[in-house]
Amino acid sequence: MPSSMQSPVLELSPFLTQLVTRNPDWLESLKNSGRLESVSPPTEKQLAEEIKAGGLDAGLRRFRNREMMRLIWRDLSNLAPVDEILEDLSTMADVCLQAAVAQHTKLLEDKYGIPRNTEGEAQKLVVIGLGKLGGNELNLSSDIDIIFCFPDRGVCDGRRGLANEQFFTRLARQVIRSLSEITADGFCFRVDTRLRPFGDSGPLVCSFSALEQYYQREGRDWERYALIKARPVAGELASGQLLLNILKPFVYRRYIDFGAIEALREMHANVREDALRKDRLDDIKRGPGGIREIEFLVQTFQLLRGGRERLLQTASIFEAVAGLQELALLRDETASSLLSAYRFLRRTENRIQALHDQQTHRLPEGEDGLRVARAMGYDDFAQFQLALEDTRSKVQLLFEQSLPQPAAPATEENPWHGLWQSIKKYNLDEGSVAGNQKPLTDFVKRLSRLSLSQRASRRLDQYMPVLLEQIHAKSPSDAVVVRVLDLVSAICRRSAYLALLVQNPGASQRMLDLFSASQRIAQTVTRYPALLDELIDPSLGARPPDQEGIQAGVDRILNSPADAETTLGDLNYLKQVIQLRIAVAMLQTTMSAHAVGLVLSQLAQGLVQAVLSLALLEMRSRHGDLPGPQLTVVAYGSLGACNLGFDSDLDLIFLYQPMSLLSDGKRPITAERYHTGVARRMLGFLSVLTPSGRLYNIDARLRPNGRAGLLVSSVKAFKRYQMEEAWCWELQALTRARAIAGDPETGDSFRSIRKAVLSKPRDIKQVKQAVLDMRARIQSQHGETSPLKYGHGGLLDIEFIVQLGLLLNTEAHPQIIGSTEIDKQLQALLDCGWLDSGALALLQGAYSQLSEARQRAALLDEAEKTQISSLLNIAQALCNEILR
């Protein structure tokens, strides 16, 4: 007897023992080929050899049993992680399905001809896998959930003219029979097609158009949930992926889908109710803390947020959890605990099913229970049961926390419910809601002009008592109540947002607090209600955005397959989210004005780099690649100085290296035309209005010769202009300029030019007079509209002092222009002796306080004039002294 026949592994699985006893040569062959010891997924070639030897049905079963022998052996011997076992089982199902489809297609085409659509194009069957097969997570004795479909109606081109529907229905039945019929060799896979449209009562096979129409008109939330795990597994795979792309808008809503919460909560209750049945308590799949609860938790996140976050649009639970972790929707320790529990339960499931090749998830007792415990690495059943109970308890806790807890429903006994009903009937009592009668009655009048659906009316009735109670507790001004009610009016007909507020009372409270603090935030959220999702996070504002997180968000959007319009919409939404987080952090004093300006600049820089990538892709698709150094984007003004405000424009110029070579596409063009095209597309992308707003207003007037100059400049032309023709104010602007995106080599050329230009010797009197003239001109034009910036002693005065110092001292001290940030430039002017320590401290303190006040003024309703006056007085005398 071969030594392998005496392996202790066989004691853990009677089914494996049976396979080895009947086919000892299989085990020796697997061992000799190294497939028992190493990663070796099943292949089409291996199945083809079995089919050639014994025919399709026998070959499928022999192939399946041989692979089951290999996989159970590797699993019980701990030679493979559970992830590999699940993937190999799924690959085996894919291979078997593909072989059955191919063989039966040939037989039917020989008999009836090739199915074709009305244009004469050949049609092929598509098999979509759902459930664990769709997720590449099949277990040892699982059935396979599939949907059969085909692209287009028509008839076969044979003599009988069989309709495509009939052809593919016969084909699907033959495939099911070949896989699931029990013969002398056993079976291959049990096939479940009940997840198709209309279930058992619906047609076995549907055309793509019929599927699309069904899901648009009849699709229910549980079907969206099921289609998360959809994957083309056999037949024409490319057509299958095309179908899933068509159905994606049904599965994943464009915005955070809290409208699905009610249906998910009902599904949640059904899962939990089913889990608590007495006959489920030992069921590691359906019981409390079982596999189904982990899957439900993850797929809930996917359903709610997958439309916005394409990282979550995956059939794999492992990829989905990784995406949730990357998006910070799950903490690292939670994600790790979740996957650890999932793998433990899936290993247990496989080892239960390895006993007798039965589709069961019940923990066995007696000798079989001891086999499972030992297969899981425990000496006795009691130890294993303790570990299993601990795992399931952890899963139960996570599962209970998977959905937000709703506010208690407002019953008729609730006084706020009664008040809302009175308000709707125009019977509001005087002073009943802290004096906010008029905004509320005006709101009800507006409601009467809206045509609300029954669902929207129900959700409004659920939310308004919660809001009225919160208004009563806060006693905000009428102006704040109007802001809040403007939002409610805006979202009434998109009632998913009302559902969000109903499901998350804390988010409603944070909304009221923020709307009380900032008119800007209120207006932004009202215009873009998707931002309400940010209010769910109770730590909003406590963890300010940083450059790493911003860049990760930009990269996720750019790396997701989408057209330019979708990508721009996503980039705009990202900007809105980051700016909201920054604004809240500033209001909560967790970010200083300096940090706000820096992070807003980092956000703008990341978005400029993103649209440059989009513009280059578009130009390459039209004209090919342009050899050599590429375009560089240079930022002036606030962005160049890393001190952007919430409403700042971007001052940009574009530089390129001249060359004689043309682009290498079908329509080659010169370097100047190529780079001009890229710059124009960039400006269009940055300023176009999307449903999520526009990125930025762009000012390109700082290019050589202003508006009369070319949109892009060669490095050589830029240098000549700056060295020979630039006005003093353009040199002042250059002190704040830096390359922020594009080609590094061209960026280095810009930095060299900047240094050479600013290091030129200058006449002190001429420079000072030019700076004074520009100061007077700007203050006369803008001093009244924005005194914090343009008033005497304001931000502009301090910036002009720094620019004057740099222009007068760079020749002798070129290191002082190493940074474009004003704090570092002030320090450099101290180091070179142009400022003393007292002046430095005064200027830095004034600039910091003025910046703080200006950033806050953009958020708050209005700045206090007395505060403005006192802030301007801090450095006004010194500014006048230096600039006179």
Side-chain angles (χ1 to χ4, degrees):
M1 178 182 292
S3 59
S4 55
M5 293 287 290
Q6 302 173 5
S7 171
V9 171
L10 296 177
E11 298 175 8
L12 304 176
S13 170
F15 173 61
L16 179 62
T17 301
Q18 184 183 69
L19 284 176
V20 172
T21 301
R22 291 181 178 178
N23 307 283
D25 56 320
W26 287 2
L27 186 60
E28 290 304 308
S29 173
L30 289 169
K31 186 175 181 181
N32 293 336
S33 66
R35 293 192 69 215
L36 283 182
E37 301 293 330
S38 61
V39 178
S40 180
T43 66
E44 294 179 2
K45 182 179 178 182
Q46 293 161 357
L47 175 56
E49 291 171 356
E50 294 286 0
I51 293 173
K52 183 177 180 181
L56 176 63
D57 290 1
L60 286 169
R61 285 150 182 76
R62 286 175 60 83
F63 174 72
R64 184 257 186 186
N65 288 334
R66 186 192 293 261
E67 289 304 311
M68 288 288 281
M69 179 187 291
R70 181 183 72 86
L71 289 169
I72 293 173
W73 188 285
R74 282 178 61 74
D75 187 35
L76 295 180
S77 303
N78 292 312
L79 295 172
V82 68
D83 303 36
E84 180 196 320
I85 301 297
L86 302 180
E87 187 170 356
D88 278 8
L89 285 163
S90 302
T91 299
M92 180 173 70
D94 291 359
V95 169
C96 291
L97 273 164
Q98 194 67 278
V101 169
Q103 290 252 358
H104 286 299
T105 296
K106 186 177 185 307
L107 292 172
L108 287 171
E109 285 182 350
D110 289 344
K111 187 173 183 180
Y112 299 110
I114 297 172
R116 299 187 182 277
N117 63 11
T118 53
E119 283 76 39
E121 298 168 331
Q123 304 294 288
K124 296 292 183 181
L125 184 70
V126 171
V127 185
I128 301 295
L130 300 171
K132 289 185 172 64
L133 174 61
N136 270 311
E137 298 146 11
L138 213 58
N139 49 282
L140 279 174
S141 190
S142 177
D143 56 6
I144 54 176
D145 296 298
I146 56 179
I147 293 175
F148 293 105
C149 49
F150 62 96
D152 207 354
R153 292 184 173 89
V155 295
C156 298
D157 60 9
R159 287 182 298 175
R160 300 188 186 185
L162 190 69
N164 289 355
E165 292 92 333
Q166 293 175 290
F167 178 95
F168 289 117
T169 298
R170 295 181 188 189
L171 174 55
R173 286 175 178 158
Q174 290 300 317
V175 169
I176 293 171
R177 183 197 58 75
S178 283
L179 291 171
S180 60
E181 190 174 73
I182 298 176
T183 71
D185 296 301
F187 72 100
C188 187
F189 283 101
R190 290 173 289 269
V191 178
D192 190 339
T193 61
R194 290 174 297 174
L195 292 177
R196 68 186 188 268
F198 300 110
D200 283 338
S201 62
L204 182 60
V205 184
C206 292
S207 68
F208 284 9
S209 60
L211 280 171
E212 183 179 11
Q213 187 177 60
Y214 169 81
Y215 288 120
Q216 284 180 348
R217 295 182 179 180
E218 309 284 344
R220 289 155 289 180
D221 286 294
W222 72 263
E223 289 173 301
R224 293 178 58 203
Y225 181 85
L227 285 173
I228 288 174
K229 305 289 279 185
R231 175 177 67 90
V233 293
E236 190 70 29
L237 299 181
S239 295
Q241 190 56 57
L242 176 64
L243 171 66
L244 294 185
N245 290 339
I246 293 171
L247 298 181
K248 188 174 288 186
F250 166 71
V251 183
Y252 297 109
R253 300 295 192 252
R254 189 70 186 89
Y255 296 104
I256 306 300
D257 189 15
F258 280 89
I261 281 283
E262 293 164 352
L264 285 169
R265 190 174 298 285
E266 185 177 338
M267 292 168 62
H268 183 290
N270 291 338
V271 171
R272 174 45 52 91
E273 183 180 353
D274 185 65
L276 294 175
R277 285 169 42 186
K278 287 185 178 180
D279 62 342
R280 294 286 195 233
L281 297 182
D282 290 329
D283 191 318
I284 64 164
K285 177 180 179 180
R286 302 178 185 86
I291 294 167
R292 179 182 282 180
E293 293 193 350
I294 297 176
E295 293 171 339
F296 185 87
L297 188 157
V298 174
Q299 287 175 256
T300 294
F301 274 110
Q302 289 181 272
L303 201 62
L304 294 179
R305 298 174 180 271
R308 172 60 65 188
E309 303 292 353
R310 290 194 288 273
L311 268 179
L312 303 182
Q313 295 179 9
T314 173
S316 165
I317 193 171
F318 300 109
E319 292 178 3
V321 171
L324 291 170
Q325 195 172 356
E326 184 174 342
L327 295 166
L329 295 172
L330 284 180
R331 296 193 302 273
D332 290 349
E333 58 270 24
T334 302
S336 176
S337 176
L338 197 67
L339 288 182
S340 176
Y342 184 72
R343 290 184 171 107
F344 181 90
L345 293 170
R346 293 305 304 272
R347 284 200 307 274
T348 302
E349 176 187 45
N350 273 347
R351 286 161 193 191
I352 291 172
Q353 295 182 353
L355 292 169
H356 305 291
D357 192 22
Q358 294 177 349
Q359 189 187 17
T360 178
H361 305 89
R362 297 285 297 277
L363 192 64
E365 298 176 346
E367 189 175 354
D368 277 350
L370 184 58
R371 285 191 178 105
V372 171
R374 289 176 176 170
M376 291 296 291
Y378 296 89
D379 293 332
D380 57 55
F381 186 76
Q383 288 181 357
F384 166 63
Q385 199 163 30
L386 284 174
L388 180 61
E389 288 174 359
D390 180 61
T391 298
R392 292 175 68 174
S393 296
K394 291 177 181 176
V395 172
Q396 275 188 283
L397 182 61
L398 289 170
F399 183 66
E400 291 291 350
Q401 299 169 345
S402 64
L403 288 176
Q405 297 303 308
T411 62
E412 292 185 5
E413 291 74 25
N414 185 318
W416 302 106
H417 172 80
L419 177 60
W420 169 238
Q421 296 305 316
S422 295
I423 294 171
K424 287 206 303 181
K425 297 175 183 177
Y426 304 103
N427 292 328
L428 188 63
D429 294 333
E430 188 75 20
S432 55
V433 190
N436 300 123
Q437 312 92 303
K438 188 174 188 310
L440 287 164
T441 51
D442 288 347
F443 169 67
V444 171
K445 290 176 184 177
R446 270 185 286 171
L447 282 182
S448 66
R449 295 192 292 270
L450 296 177
S451 178
L452 298 184
S453 67
Q454 186 176 0
R455 173 184 288 187
S457 296
R458 185 179 72 250
R459 287 176 176 168
L460 184 64
D461 286 342
Q462 289 176 314
Y463 176 58
M464 286 306 297
V466 175
L467 178 60
L468 290 175
E469 184 174 7
Q470 291 174 343
I471 289 174
H472 178 74
K474 287 295 223 181
S475 298
S477 66
D478 279 5
V480 172
V481 175
V482 168
R483 294 174 195 170
V484 174
L485 295 176
D486 282 347
L487 171 70
V488 177
S489 296
I491 65 177
C492 271
R493 284 184 287 190
R494 291 180 284 179
S495 63
Y497 298 121
L498 282 175
L500 182 155
L501 295 171
V502 169
Q503 301 293 337
N504 297 273
S508 179
Q509 182 65 59
R510 281 184 285 280
M511 179 266 291
L512 184 57
D513 290 342
L514 288 173
F515 280 27
S516 298
S518 172
Q519 184 179 23
R520 178 193 179 90
I521 290 178
Q523 290 172 341
T524 302
V525 174
T526 300
R527 187 172 182 182
Y528 307 111
L531 293 172
L532 284 170
D533 178 58
E534 292 298 306
L535 304 182
I536 294 172
D537 185 359
S539 64
L540 178 65
R543 296 192 303 271
D546 57 24
Q547 186 173 17
E548 183 180 355
I550 290 169
Q551 193 58 51
V554 171
D555 290 343
R556 277 198 303 271
I557 293 170
L558 290 182
N559 294 333
S560 299
D563 56 30
E565 182 180 354
T566 301
T567 300
L568 283 174
D570 290 345
L571 290 172
N572 272 276
Y573 179 74
L574 176 69
K575 180 202 172 191
Q576 298 287 1
V577 167
I578 299 297
Q579 285 199 338
L580 175 64
R581 293 175 185 171
I582 293 170
V584 174
M586 187 168 190
L587 288 173
Q588 295 179 355
T589 67
T590 54
M591 283 187 85
S592 66
H594 177 266
V596 167
L598 181 61
V599 176
L600 286 172
S601 300
Q602 291 166 346
L603 172 62
Q605 183 168 340
L607 294 172
V608 168
Q609 290 170 337
V611 298
L612 174 57
S613 298
L614 289 178
L616 281 170
L617 280 175
E618 188 171 296
M619 191 59 61
R620 285 169 183 152
S621 69
R622 295 180 179 180
H623 302 289
D625 283 308
L626 185 70
Q630 300 298 306
L631 193 71
T632 282
V633 184
V634 176
Y636 280 71
S638 299
L639 177 55
C642 301
N643 192 28
L644 209 63
F646 287 101
D647 296 312
S648 296
D649 296 347
L650 302 189
D651 299 298
L652 304 177
I653 70 167
F654 305 92
L655 300 179
Y656 71 96
Q657 301 277 7
M659 62 170 55
S660 58
L661 296 175
L662 301 178
S663 62
D664 62 6
K666 293 181 179 179
R667 293 182 291 168
I669 55 175
T670 64
E672 182 178 346
R673 284 188 60 198
Y674 193 94
H675 294 310
T676 300
V678 171
R680 283 176 175 159
R681 291 308 295 143
M682 278 191 69
L683 296 180
F685 288 151
L686 286 167
S687 58
V688 69
L689 186 62
T690 75
S692 300
R694 71 163 46 87
L695 290 174
Y696 296 99
N697 291 318
I698 307 300
D699 189 342
R701 291 175 296 175
L702 286 172
R703 63 184 185 264
N705 296 307
R707 287 177 175 168
L710 298 173
L711 181 60
V712 299
S713 299
S714 71
V715 167
K716 183 178 179 181
F718 178 78
K719 180 177 183 179
R720 183 192 56 76
Y721 179 85
Q722 294 292 337
M723 296 292 285
E724 300 174 10
E725 301 180 37
W727 294 68
C728 184
W729 68 266
E730 291 176 294
L731 302 178
Q732 289 177 249
L734 195 61
T735 64
R736 292 151 58 91
R738 61 190 177 95
I740 62 166
D743 185 74
E745 183 179 335
T746 310
D748 288 341
S749 296
F750 165 76
R751 283 182 281 275
S752 297
I753 294 169
R754 177 176 179 268
K755 183 176 181 181
V757 171
L758 295 178
S759 299
K760 287 180 63 178
R762 290 185 169 83
D763 182 276
I764 295 177
K765 290 184 178 180
Q766 287 183 356
V767 170
K768 201 166 188 180
Q769 188 59 51
V771 172
L772 283 170
D773 290 345
M774 182 55 65
R775 176 200 189 202
R777 178 181 173 185
I778 292 177
Q779 286 178 338
S780 66
Q781 291 176 344
H782 303 287
E784 295 297 324
T785 58
S786 184
L788 285 170
K789 181 172 183 179
Y790 299 113
H792 290 285
L795 292 166
L796 185 73
D797 271 4
I798 300 173
E799 290 166 0
F800 270 30
I801 286 173
V802 173
Q803 292 160 20
L804 176 63
L806 295 178
L807 290 176
L808 296 180
N809 292 280
T810 301
E811 179 189 6
H813 306 282
Q815 74 278 4
I816 65 176
I817 58 166
S819 173
T820 59
E821 296 183 42
I822 195 164
D823 277 353
K824 294 177 181 178
Q825 290 177 336
L826 280 166
Q827 182 63 48
L829 290 173
L830 171 73
D831 295 341
C832 77
W834 194 71
L835 289 176
D836 60 38
S837 58
L840 173 70
L842 189 64
L843 291 172
Q844 283 184 332
Y847 197 82
S848 175
Q849 292 182 63
L850 287 163
S851 296
E852 187 85 25
R854 186 161 182 257
Q855 296 282 28
R856 284 187 172 276
L859 298 179
L860 304 177
D861 293 357
E862 59 181 28
E864 297 181 15
K865 293 182 180 179
T866 54
Q867 182 187 22
I868 291 175
S869 193
S870 63
L871 288 173
L872 292 176
N873 286 335
I874 295 174
Q876 189 174 117
L878 179 60
C879 290
N880 289 336
E881 179 183 345
I882 295 175
L883 292 173
R884 68 185 177 191

